[in-house]
């Protein structure tokens, strides 16, 4: 199944398509680079983002407000 991007419905302010998150920079609350989002998963207990660190390691973070404080698609 394939759709063009313009056929996708607009999402609410706090909802995101996975494709929009992949490639985003991840920063600490002090603006230190933590890496780049490589993938978004859901294994049944909620969304998880996989981040590639500047050192090349992969880590996973829960996609929850306690861990992801702000999302800015414009930045």
């Amino acid at each position: 199944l394939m759709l063009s991007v313009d056929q996708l419905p607009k999402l609410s302010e706090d909802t995101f398509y996975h494709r929009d998150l992949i490639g985003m920079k991840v920063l600490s609350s002090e603006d230190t680079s933590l890496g780049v989002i490589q993938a978004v998963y859901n294994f049944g207990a909620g969304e998880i983002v996989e981040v590639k660190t500047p050192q090349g390691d992969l880590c996973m973070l829960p996609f929850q407000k306690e861990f992801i404080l702000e999302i800015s698609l414009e930045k």
Side-chain angles (χ1 to χ4, degrees):
L1 177 65
M2 295 184 70
L3 297 171
S4 65
V5 174
D6 60 332
Q7 292 178 301
L8 296 172
K10 297 289 181 197
L11 300 177
S12 65
E13 190 174 301
D14 60 346
T15 306
F16 304 93
Y17 286 112
H18 289 188
R19 67 172 185 84
D20 293 333
L21 299 174
I22 295 171
M24 288 185 77
K25 295 177 187 175
V26 180
L27 304 173
S28 72
S29 56
E30 292 84 26
D31 262 356
T32 303
S33 176
L34 299 177
V36 176
I37 295 176
Q38 298 293 300
V40 181
Y41 302 108
N42 187 324
F43 299 112
E47 304 289 335
I48 297 173
V49 291
E50 182 179 61
V51 178
K52 185 172 186 176
T53 68
Q55 296 79 23
D57 298 320
L58 295 175
C59 66
M60 293 184 166
L61 299 171
F63 193 66
Q64 299 171 349
K65 291 181 183 182
E66 296 83 11
F67 296 92
I68 310 294
L69 304 178
E70 178 186 354
I71 298 171
S72 175
L73 295 178
E74 293 79 33
K75 289 182 183 180

